[in-house]
Amino acid sequence: MTQTVPLPLGLPMERDAGPFDPPRDITRLREARPVSPLIFPNGHEGWLVTGYDAVRQLMADTRFSSRQDIGVLHVPYETPGMPAMTEPSPQVPGLFIAMDPPDHTRLRRKLTGAFTVKRMKRLEEHISDIVERQLDEMARLAPPVDLVKAFALPVPSLVICEMLGVPYEDRESFQANSARFMEKDVALDAKMAAYTGLTTYLAELVSRKRATPGEDILSDLARDDDLSIEELTGIAFLLLLAGHETTANQLALGTFALLEHPEQAAALRAEPDLLPDAVEELMRYLSVADIFYRYATEDIELGGETIGKGSTVVVSLLAANHDPRRFDNPDALDVHRRARGHLSFGHGVHQCLGQQLARIEMRAGFGGLLRRFPTLRLAVPADEVKLRTDMNIYGVHALPVTWTETER
């Protein structure tokens, strides 16, 4: 099979097989050719990687660069909502997710102490308290309520604001700007205005912390004279965005999935010890952060194909996490499954720094919701739930829910 597959506009592609499943075309392509040539909207030929083994191998191989300036230098490409980039742009200071070693290593190493498993374990009780307080607030509301506004967004926002030392009262501004920045089809000037609003705010914040540090992660970083204000701002931007966007969408979409699979929710209520495995399974099943780009810095063999130097490679974590060669019956949600090895937190040097924090928040969040609201259900038909198909992180824009009783 040598056919080159045209790449539709609007990655990540809409989940036309259902709100939780990979797009049908992606699934068919993964079964036929897990490493497949494609054509971008601007005519450039690149590659799409959908098979689990190939995705895992690619993400562990640092010859596949994360630097967009390298990709742009070799390969003009278009991102929906953005103009075609035909010249290399300088790297954003501090934004280590778009860097390669040794720059990536230097910055990430500054943060490893803040996100150790041991430190996260110490935070677990405090995070549970935050979740319980938010559940108390939600229980005082008259249903129906929007679970996103009442629970899924406040919990990770409270946690990451407290950890970073970002005033929670500033949340409306940074949440609005981050949401606008994450929109796929927004005009470039609006996207840049959102980015500028966020970075201007964070630059002022880290400058204050350098002058008078407190007891938080950004203050700890600000004490390090090796980091410039620009680098501190880039790191703060990345941590704040990643720290509330992904977990909020995972909590909301995960609750939607459990309500649509009541037998799975019932199993979790009956056996709360299943929660750690259920969180891994929901991460695998939903894959809210789906599409990533890499750029080949030399000719590389992958999945029986030769990816030429300078090629842009599109990686689908959703497709990989639903690969039947790795997971039995992958399109089924099964809270009894041991889904360790899923790729939702990435793999290799860019594996998610905050994954232990996210796991703790999700265990506390899903466990608390199921315990406190045993009769929780959708307040609208499932097909009326507005999905975030217009955003770079998948989820729901709102999740109207109702209930008839609550428990302590």
Side-chain angles (χ1 to χ4, degrees):
M1 180 179 179
T2 58
Q3 182 183 3
T4 299
V5 180
L7 179 68
L9 282 167
L11 280 170
M13 284 176 279
E14 204 162 321
R15 305 189 185 199
D16 56 355
F20 314 118
D21 299 317
R24 292 185 178 93
D25 286 345
I26 288 282
T27 297
R28 285 192 288 267
L29 190 59
R30 184 192 60 218
E31 301 315 304
R33 196 173 182 182
V35 180
S36 177
L38 57 78
I39 300 174
F40 283 84
N42 66 356
H44 165 68
E45 294 186 3
W47 293 85
L48 176 64
V49 184
T50 53
Y52 177 91
D53 289 341
V55 168
R56 187 177 170 91
Q57 181 183 336
L58 180 151
M59 298 190 87
D61 191 335
T62 54
R63 293 176 299 170
F64 287 104
S65 174
S66 296
R67 287 177 55 182
Q68 288 193 359
D69 59 327
I70 288 178
V72 172
L73 181 61
H74 293 292
V75 184
Y77 69 94
E78 290 180 2
T79 300
M82 302 286 278
M85 300 173 69
T86 55
E87 296 180 7
S89 55
Q91 287 186 289
V92 177
L95 210 66
F96 58 90
I97 196 172
M99 294 179 181
D100 297 333
D103 297 326
H104 170 270
T105 310
R106 168 183 161 262
L107 292 176
R108 184 173 170 120
R109 194 173 284 151
K110 307 274 187 191
L111 285 159
T112 50
F115 289 95
T116 61
V117 175
K118 186 176 180 181
R119 185 166 182 174
M120 292 303 104
K121 277 287 184 187
R122 288 203 303 267
L123 275 171
E124 195 157 0
E125 186 175 340
H126 182 56
I127 290 170
S128 293
D129 288 342
I130 289 174
V131 167
E132 290 302 317
R133 287 199 301 272
Q134 201 61 42
L135 289 168
D136 288 341
E137 291 286 328
M138 183 168 147
R140 282 192 279 269
L141 299 173
V145 304
D146 174 12
L147 188 87
V148 173
K149 288 182 180 176
F151 182 73
L153 186 55
V155 165
S157 296
L158 278 161
V159 171
I160 201 64
C161 282
E162 195 168 304
M163 287 186 67
L164 295 183
V166 175
Y168 185 61
E169 57 268 24
D170 295 341
R171 67 191 181 280
E172 287 189 11
S173 174
F174 76 69
Q175 284 171 356
N177 278 326
S178 65
R180 178 51 60 95
F181 182 75
M182 296 301 291
E183 281 186 58
K184 287 191 296 187
D185 296 320
V186 69
L188 178 61
D189 57 349
K191 191 180 284 277
M192 291 310 299
Y195 175 76
T196 301
L198 267 172
T199 53
T200 300
Y201 167 74
L202 290 170
E204 293 171 355
L205 181 66
V206 296
S207 296
R208 291 199 302 271
K209 289 183 182 297
R210 175 148 282 178
T212 52
E215 298 300 317
D216 54 73
I217 289 174
L218 292 184
S219 292
D220 290 346
L221 292 169
R223 291 185 178 96
D224 188 341
D225 292 334
D226 182 46
L227 292 170
S228 67
I229 290 295
E230 291 76 20
E231 286 178 320
L232 285 168
T233 301
I235 292 171
F237 171 81
L238 186 58
L239 294 180
L240 185 62
L241 198 70
H244 79 275
E245 274 285 345
T246 50
T247 307
N249 284 292
Q250 184 69 28
L251 282 170
L253 191 67
T255 301
F256 183 24
L258 288 170
L259 295 180
E260 284 294 279
H261 297 82
E263 75 289 349
Q264 301 297 313
L268 281 178
R269 286 193 179 98
E271 294 183 72
D273 288 347
L274 289 174
L275 263 173
D277 283 339
V279 165
E280 302 304 316
E281 170 66 349
L282 285 163
M283 290 289 301
R284 178 202 72 82
Y285 181 64
L286 301 173
S287 302
V288 297
D290 177 13
I291 296 295
F292 290 84
Y293 291 88
R294 292 291 186 266
Y295 311 98
T297 58
E298 58 183 81
D299 291 353
I300 305 170
E301 294 292 321
L302 183 70
E305 308 281 356
T306 299
I307 296 180
K309 180 179 179 179
S311 293
T312 298
V313 185
V314 181
V315 182
S316 174
L317 300 188
L318 174 64
N321 279 333
H322 283 246
D323 190 340
R325 298 176 185 89
R326 175 61 178 81
F327 299 102
D328 292 334
N329 196 16
D331 294 338
L333 175 63
D334 180 4
V335 297
H336 293 89
R337 188 198 306 269
R338 292 191 62 79
R340 298 297 195 277
H342 68 78
L343 298 172
S344 295
F345 288 120
H347 183 61
V349 298
H350 286 285
Q351 192 169 35
C352 177
L353 191 64
Q355 60 182 285
Q356 299 305 333
L357 174 64
R359 286 183 169 107
I360 291 168
E361 290 179 81
M362 285 186 278
R363 288 198 295 265
F366 291 126
L369 267 177
L370 291 169
R371 185 185 75 252
R372 295 285 299 274
F373 296 87
T375 58
L376 191 72
R377 63 187 186 277
L378 289 179
V380 297
D383 60 6
E384 291 182 15
V385 173
K386 190 180 179 189
L387 300 165
R388 284 170 54 110
T389 54
D390 57 334
M391 310 294 279
N392 286 316
I393 302 289
Y394 189 62
V396 295
H397 283 288
L399 190 70
V401 295
T402 189
W403 60 87
T404 54
E405 59 182 273
T406 61
E407 295 184 3
R408 283 298 307 173

